[in-house]
C-alpha cells in the first residue's frame, strides 16, 4: 500500500513539474515577444494616399526599428545595422512637422544628384525604372514634375525653410543629397508631399523599415484629419461594427517592398 502511495505521489510531482515547466516556457515566450515588439518593432498606421498602391490608407504595418537604427558598439551582431539603400521604404519623423510620422521611398542617398523631367526621376544622370509609381492626378504642375529647375515660388506647398535653403543644394539643375541625409518620394507621385516640398530626411529622423501589413481596414482618406473626440469615438464604433466586412483580408501579412 505504501508503495502505491509513493508511486501516486511521484506521478503528482511529475505533473506539477510539467505544469511549472509549461508556465515557465510561456513566460519566456511572452517576455521575448514583448522585447521584440518594444525594442525591435513598432506598429504604424498609413494615414494618407501618398504611397498608393504599395501602401493604402488604413494599412497597419509593423516597422523594423533595428536594422535602420544608428550603429551602436554595445549591441554588435545582436542588433545589426544596415545602410539605407535606394528604393527602400522607410518610416521617419517629418523634418518640418515635429511629432508627425511619415512613410516614403528612398530615391536619393548622400552624394546622389537628383532631378525630374516631365515627372520622370533621373539619378546621377540615369533614368530610374520605377514600376511601383502611379500618376493619379495628371494635371500639369511644373514644380512637381520639373524639380528642381522650376522655382519653388510656383508651388504653394513648399515649406518655408526649404524655400529658403533649397538653392544651396542645386548644381547644374540637379539637387545634391548632403551627408547624413536622404531624398524621399511617395509612390503616388502626383499627390505626394515629399522631399520636393520640404527637403531632405535627416538620418537621425529615421525610425525604421516597414516589414509587412498585419491588418488593413477600408478607411476614407480624410479619416486621420478628424481628431475631435466625437469623431474618434464614431470611427471606433464603425470599426467594431464592420470589422469583418471592411477588413481587407487580402492584404493581411503582405510583405512591403
Amino acid at each position: 500500500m505504501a508503495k502505491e502511495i509513493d508511486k501516486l505521489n511521484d506521478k503528482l510531482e511529475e505533473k506539477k513539474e510539467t505544469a511549472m515547466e509549461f508556465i515557465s516556457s510561456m513566460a519566456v515566450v511572452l517576455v521575448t515577444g514583448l522585447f521584440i515588439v518594444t525594442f525591435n518593432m513598432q506598429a504604424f498606421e498609413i494615414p494618407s494616399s501618398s504611397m498608393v498602391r504599395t501602401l493604402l490608407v488604413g494599412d497597419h504595418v509593423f516597422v523594423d526599428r533595428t536594422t535602420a537604427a544608428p550603429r551602436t558598439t554595445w549591441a554588435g551582431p545582436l542588433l545589426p545595422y544596415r545602410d539605407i539603400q535606394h528604393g527602400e521604404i522607410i518610416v521617419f519623423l517629418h523634418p518640418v512637422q515635429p511629432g508627425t510620422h511619415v512613410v516614403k521611398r528612398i530615391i536619393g542617398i548622400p552624394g546622389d544628384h537628383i532631378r525630374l523631367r516631365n515627372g520622370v526621376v533621373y539619378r546621377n544622370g540615369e533614368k530610374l525604372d520605377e514600376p511601383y509609381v502611379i500618376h493619379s492626378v495628371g494635371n500639369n504642375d511644373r514644380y512637381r514634375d520639373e524639380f528642381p529647375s522650376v522655382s519653388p515660388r510656383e508651388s504653394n506647398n513648399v515649406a518655408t525653410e526649404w524655400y529658403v535653403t533649397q538653392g544651396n543644394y542645386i548644381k547644374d539643375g540637379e539637387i545634391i543629397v548632403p551627408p547624413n541625409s536622404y531624398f524621399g518620394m511617395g509612390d503616388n507621385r502626383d499627390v505626394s508631399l515629399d522631399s520636393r516640398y520640404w527637403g531632405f530626411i535627416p538620418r537621425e529622423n529615421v525610425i525604421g523599415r516597414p516589414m509587412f501589413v498585419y491588418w488593413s481596414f477600408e478607411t476614407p482618406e480624410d479619416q486621420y484629419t478628424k481628431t475631435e473626440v466625437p469623431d474618434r469615438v464614431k470611427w471606433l464604433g464603425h470599426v467594431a461594427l464592420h470589422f469583418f466586412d471592411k477588413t481587407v483580408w487580402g492584404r493581411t501579412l503582405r510583405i512591403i517592398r
Side-chain angles (χ1 to χ4, degrees):
M1 183 69 178
K3 290 182 179 179
E4 292 178 356
I5 293 174
D6 288 340
K7 288 181 180 179
L8 182 60
N9 288 334
D10 289 341
K11 289 181 179 180
L12 290 174
E13 285 296 323
E14 288 178 3
K15 288 183 179 179
K16 287 181 181 178
E17 290 175 359
T18 303
M20 289 301 296
E21 288 174 358
F22 174 77
I23 293 172
S24 298
S25 299
M26 288 300 296
V28 170
V29 170
L30 290 173
V31 170
T32 302
L34 182 62
F35 175 85
I36 292 173
V37 171
T38 303
F39 296 100
N40 292 20
M41 293 194 297
Q42 180 174 340
F44 180 76
E45 298 178 42
I46 304 301
S48 75
S49 60
S50 68
M51 285 296 293
V52 171
R53 292 180 301 260
T54 306
L55 292 169
L56 307 181
V57 179
D59 279 353
H60 292 64
V61 304
F62 272 131
V63 175
D64 170 18
R65 298 172 54 188
T66 303
T67 59
R71 287 186 176 90
T72 55
T73 55
W74 66 268
L78 296 177
L79 298 175
Y81 170 86
R82 179 166 62 80
D83 285 327
I84 294 172
Q85 302 170 2
H86 292 134
E88 287 191 317
I89 299 173
I90 63 168
V91 174
F92 56 95
L93 289 171
H94 200 294
V96 297
Q97 297 176 8
T100 301
H101 292 79
V102 191
V103 57
K104 301 293 178 189
R105 191 181 295 273
I106 295 299
I107 302 300
I109 62 176
D112 281 341
H113 293 227
I114 305 292
R115 65 183 174 92
L116 276 77
R117 292 293 180 269
N118 195 30
V120 176
V121 179
Y122 291 80
R123 182 173 62 221
N124 301 325
E126 295 185 3
K127 177 181 176 181
L128 298 189
D129 178 20
E130 299 185 285
Y132 43 78
V133 166
I134 68 168
H135 295 279
S136 58
V137 177
N139 63 302
N140 184 33
D141 184 332
R142 295 186 66 247
Y143 178 80
R144 180 193 70 200
D145 295 337
E146 305 295 330
F147 179 86
S149 61
V150 174
S151 171
R153 295 190 187 92
E154 295 198 21
S155 175
N156 296 323
N157 295 314
V158 178
T160 302
E161 184 177 348
W162 186 231
Y163 181 94
V164 174
T165 62
Q166 182 185 121
N168 298 333
Y169 303 98
I170 297 176
K171 182 179 179 181
D172 298 329
E174 298 178 319
I175 203 89
I176 302 175
V177 184
N180 298 313
S181 302
Y182 303 98
F183 191 92
M185 298 178 71
D187 291 355
N188 193 356
R189 204 54 56 83
D190 294 344
V191 303
S192 175
L193 295 179
D194 46 43
S195 285
R196 292 169 292 181
Y197 297 93
W198 36 251
F200 304 110
I201 304 165
R203 178 65 189 83
E204 60 268 22
N205 284 33
V206 175
I207 293 173
R209 301 176 172 91
M211 298 181 297
F212 61 90
V213 177
Y214 68 87
W215 179 49
S216 183
F217 190 81
E218 294 180 16
T219 305
E221 284 192 32
D222 63 345
Q223 178 57 43
Y224 293 100
T225 65
K226 299 176 181 179
T227 57
E228 297 295 328
V229 173
D231 291 328
R232 298 302 297 165
V233 171
K234 182 180 178 181
W235 176 247
L236 289 174
H238 175 80
V239 172
L241 184 63
H242 296 281
F243 177 83
F244 291 102
D245 61 298
K246 296 282 185 169
T247 289
V248 186
W249 298 103
R251 294 189 64 79
T252 304
L253 301 182
R254 180 182 291 249
I255 303 299
I256 299 168
R257 295 184 177 90

